[in-house]
Amino acid sequence: MTNEAFIDERCARIFYFLLTDVKLVVLLALSYMVNEEQNKEITADASIFDFLLTMVQQAEKAKDRRQWGFSIHELLNGLAKLAKNDKNKVIIMDKGAFEILKRILKQGSEAEQLATVNVIWELSFAQKNKTLFKVNNIGKLLRCLLKLCLHVCI
């Protein structure tokens, strides 16, 4: 590999990482700033959900459970904000969120579980999602978490 090709490859990698970091920061910031109507505009490209869910999965694998400085619960809180839009509720589930949420409910920290419950709350307002949650006994898992919380809190 020539010196020039090596430099080009390194620049491309750095550019990719910078873009990913900026994209994540902007996406999460916007999720907190926009209302439900404006939410449609920033989520017109459904690939942002692939991106956000990938960030959650990468954070799950990380030793510090963070991706680009964001914790899993911060990423999930951003996802919950984007899920306020009815169209997004179905898209998020179609993008594979269900397995990720189920896994975090079972294995995540308390903060991650709380953020997951918040996402499930938002997603469950779509009938298609509600049915999926019922069929897969998410309610049973949520009741177990509630009992655990009540036991710890009392």
Side-chain angles (χ1 to χ4, degrees), residues 73-113:
H73 73 270
E74 290 168 328
L75 296 168
L76 290 174
N77 286 338
L79 186 64
K81 294 284 186 187
L82 295 172
K84 289 189 178 297
N85 177 282
D86 290 336
K87 194 172 166 186
N88 292 347
K89 289 171 178 44
V90 175
I91 294 171
I92 290 167
M93 289 295 279
D94 289 345
K95 296 290 185 178
F98 182 74
E99 290 302 320
I100 297 168
L101 297 173
K102 196 164 67 170
R103 188 173 53 247
I104 295 171
L105 266 183
K106 291 179 181 176
Q107 302 168 356
S109 69
E110 189 176 314
E112 293 167 359
Q113 289 173 335

Side-chain angles (χ1 to χ4, degrees), residues 29-111:
L30 283 173
S31 75
Y32 280 87
M33 288 188 255
V34 299
N35 62 34
E36 190 172 338
E37 190 60 32
Q38 295 165 322
N39 192 325
K40 280 191 276 191
E41 294 171 27
I42 65 167
T43 57
D45 178 5
S47 70
I48 67 162
F49 300 115
D50 292 319
F51 173 72
L52 194 49
L53 292 169
T54 298
M55 295 296 106
V56 172
Q57 289 175 305
Q58 289 177 353
E60 282 184 281
K61 295 174 189 170
K63 199 173 197 173
D64 63 355
R65 301 205 36 99
R66 291 181 167 274
Q67 181 62 20
W68 296 106
F70 291 97
S71 66
I72 290 173
H73 73 270
E74 290 168 328
L75 296 168
L76 290 174
N77 286 338
L79 186 64
K81 294 284 186 187
L82 295 172
K84 289 189 178 297
N85 177 282
D86 290 336
K87 194 172 166 186
N88 292 347
K89 289 171 178 44
V90 175
I91 294 171
I92 290 167
M93 289 295 279
D94 289 345
K95 296 290 185 178
F98 182 74
E99 290 302 320
I100 297 168
L101 297 173
K102 196 164 67 170
R103 188 173 53 247
I104 295 171
L105 266 183
K106 291 179 181 176
Q107 302 168 356
S109 69
E110 189 176 314

Side-chain angles (χ1 to χ4, degrees), residues 89-147:
K89 289 171 178 44
V90 175
I91 294 171
I92 290 167
M93 289 295 279
D94 289 345
K95 296 290 185 178
F98 182 74
E99 290 302 320
I100 297 168
L101 297 173
K102 196 164 67 170
R103 188 173 53 247
I104 295 171
L105 266 183
K106 291 179 181 176
Q107 302 168 356
S109 69
E110 189 176 314
E112 293 167 359
Q113 289 173 335
L114 182 61
T116 302
V117 169
N118 190 32
V119 174
I120 290 171
W121 166 263
E122 290 296 340
L123 294 175
S124 67
F125 285 97
Q127 187 59 46
K128 179 181 175 184
N129 296 344
K130 192 181 299 187
T131 302
L132 182 64
F133 290 142
K134 284 180 183 177
V135 167
N136 286 280
N137 288 325
I138 288 295
K140 182 179 178 183
L141 191 52
L142 292 173
R143 283 189 296 280
C144 289
L145 286 173
L146 179 61
K147 285 179 185 175

